[in-house]
Amino acid sequence: MLRLIIIVLYLVIYLLVSLPIQLVLFIMSKSQLKKAKEISLSFVQWGFKCILFLTGAKIDIRGEENVPTDTPVLYVGNHRSYFDIVITYSRVPRLTGYIAKKEMTKVPILSRWMKYLDCLFLDRDDIRQGLQIILTAIDQVKNGTSMTIYPEGTRNRTDQDLIDFHKGSFKIAQKAGCPIIPVVVNNTDDIFEAHPWAIRPAHVVVEYCKPIYLNELSKEELKNIDDYVRTIILEKYQANKSLI
């Protein structure tokens, strides 16, 4: 409970302090948009790293050399915890937006940072809006911003290692022509979700798999790209259980 209280207090202070910084970056963005976004990314990453330090979690990062730094990518991962985002976003090597649930827009100050960093907010009950979000994400990748999506569509709260993937999630890579980076996280839910109202220093494993280049896949693999990527993530997730 003490760790949770400390992290909540830290977040409140961090977000309040960030208000004048947001104003400065907003003004800066009028003439130096890319530079303002890069500074924003560094500021948010620093904040997330502080949160991870406060959790006491041991983060075992593997395969990070597989992530290209000279081109935008589509990160595709399994999703069991809010800390999936905290951990992975603190490590992205270039501007990266996340596709998040629309409820995040209700979080003051934080949602403004997310919008500023090209995050998109998905209404899972509105198919038309969902298609528009995918189209916007495609444009952002074409303009040099990586994107992250969780094709399970929500946090996995079941006993299954992985729930079904939504095929539409992969349209971003298919239309933008970017590599797919499967990201596999193990045990992030043991930081918080497995025992609400308490933060524990869990051992977490994050592995970045080798990039998937769509032009190297067969027609059958492309047709079933959701199952193809899901199999890679599932096999790695099950293999990494032994590391916890």
Side-chain angles (χ1 to χ4, degrees), residues 4 20-21 29 41 43 61 119 131 162 166 210:
L4 179 60
I21 296 174
S29 68
L41 175 62
F43 182 75
I61 303 294
C119 292
L131 291 173
L162 209 60
H166 296 286
K210 291 183 178 180

Short mmCIF file of all heavy atoms in Angstrom, two decimals, residues 4 20-21 29 41 43 61 119 131 162 166 210:
data_model
loop_
_atom_site.label_atom_id
_atom_site.label_comp_id
_atom_site.label_asym_id
_atom_site.label_seq_id
_atom_site.Cartn_x
_atom_site.Cartn_y
_atom_site.Cartn_z
N LEU A 4 2.08 2.25 -3.42
CA LEU A 4 0.98 2.82 -4.21
C LEU A 4 0.75 4.28 -3.83
O LEU A 4 0.58 5.13 -4.72
CB LEU A 4 -0.29 2.00 -3.99
CG LEU A 4 -1.55 2.49 -4.74
CD1 LEU A 4 -1.31 2.48 -6.25
CD2 LEU A 4 -2.75 1.64 -4.37
N PRO A 20 3.20 23.97 -16.76
CA PRO A 20 3.95 25.04 -17.42
C PRO A 20 4.87 24.53 -18.52
O PRO A 20 5.12 25.23 -19.51
CB PRO A 20 4.75 25.67 -16.27
CG PRO A 20 4.78 24.65 -15.19
CD PRO A 20 3.51 23.89 -15.32
N ILE A 21 5.36 23.30 -18.37
CA ILE A 21 6.22 22.71 -19.41
C ILE A 21 5.40 22.50 -20.68
O ILE A 21 5.88 22.76 -21.80
CB ILE A 21 6.84 21.39 -18.92
CG1 ILE A 21 7.76 21.66 -17.73
CG2 ILE A 21 7.60 20.69 -20.04
CD1 ILE A 21 8.32 20.41 -17.08
N SER A 29 6.22 24.53 -30.31
CA SER A 29 5.75 23.70 -31.43
C SER A 29 5.31 24.53 -32.63
O SER A 29 5.22 24.01 -33.74
CB SER A 29 4.61 22.80 -30.97
OG SER A 29 3.45 23.56 -30.67
N LEU A 41 8.68 13.69 -25.56
CA LEU A 41 8.93 12.25 -25.42
C LEU A 41 9.94 12.01 -24.30
O LEU A 41 9.74 11.13 -23.44
CB LEU A 41 9.45 11.68 -26.73
CG LEU A 41 9.88 10.21 -26.71
CD1 LEU A 41 8.70 9.30 -26.36
CD2 LEU A 41 10.48 9.79 -28.06
N PHE A 43 10.63 13.88 -21.75
CA PHE A 43 10.05 14.23 -20.45
C PHE A 43 9.13 13.12 -19.95
O PHE A 43 9.18 12.73 -18.78
CB PHE A 43 9.28 15.55 -20.57
CG PHE A 43 8.68 16.01 -19.27
CD1 PHE A 43 9.48 16.56 -18.27
CD2 PHE A 43 7.32 15.89 -19.04
CE1 PHE A 43 8.93 16.98 -17.06
CE2 PHE A 43 6.76 16.31 -17.84
CZ PHE A 43 7.57 16.86 -16.85
N ILE A 61 14.97 -6.80 -19.89
CA ILE A 61 14.71 -6.43 -21.28
C ILE A 61 15.55 -7.31 -22.20
O ILE A 61 16.78 -7.42 -22.04
CB ILE A 61 15.05 -4.96 -21.56
CG1 ILE A 61 14.26 -4.04 -20.61
CG2 ILE A 61 14.76 -4.60 -23.02
CD1 ILE A 61 12.77 -4.06 -20.82
N CYS A 119 -0.71 9.97 -29.67
CA CYS A 119 -1.54 8.84 -29.26
C CYS A 119 -2.96 9.04 -29.79
O CYS A 119 -3.42 10.18 -29.96
CB CYS A 119 -1.57 8.72 -27.74
SG CYS A 119 0.01 8.23 -27.01
N LEU A 131 -12.32 2.63 -37.62
CA LEU A 131 -11.70 2.66 -38.96
C LEU A 131 -10.95 3.97 -39.18
O LEU A 131 -9.87 3.99 -39.77
CB LEU A 131 -12.79 2.49 -40.03
CG LEU A 131 -13.45 1.11 -40.11
CD1 LEU A 131 -14.61 1.12 -41.09
CD2 LEU A 131 -12.43 0.05 -40.51
N LEU A 162 -3.15 -15.80 -23.92
CA LEU A 162 -3.39 -14.79 -24.94
C LEU A 162 -4.80 -14.96 -25.47
O LEU A 162 -5.24 -16.09 -25.70
CB LEU A 162 -2.38 -14.98 -26.09
CG LEU A 162 -1.94 -13.77 -26.92
CD1 LEU A 162 -1.29 -12.72 -26.04
CD2 LEU A 162 -0.97 -14.22 -28.00
N HIS A 166 -7.42 -9.02 -33.11
CA HIS A 166 -8.27 -8.40 -34.12
C HIS A 166 -7.45 -8.18 -35.39
O HIS A 166 -6.41 -7.50 -35.36
CB HIS A 166 -8.82 -7.07 -33.62
CG HIS A 166 -9.74 -7.21 -32.44
ND1 HIS A 166 -11.02 -7.70 -32.54
CD2 HIS A 166 -9.55 -6.93 -31.12
CE1 HIS A 166 -11.59 -7.70 -31.34
NE2 HIS A 166 -10.72 -7.26 -30.47
N LYS A 210 12.19 -10.42 -33.41
CA LYS A 210 12.75 -9.93 -34.67
C LYS A 210 11.67 -9.26 -35.51
O LYS A 210 10.52 -9.68 -35.50
CB LYS A 210 13.39 -11.08 -35.45
CG LYS A 210 14.64 -11.63 -34.78
CD LYS A 210 15.27 -12.73 -35.61
CE LYS A 210 16.55 -13.25 -34.94
NZ LYS A 210 17.18 -14.33 -35.74
#
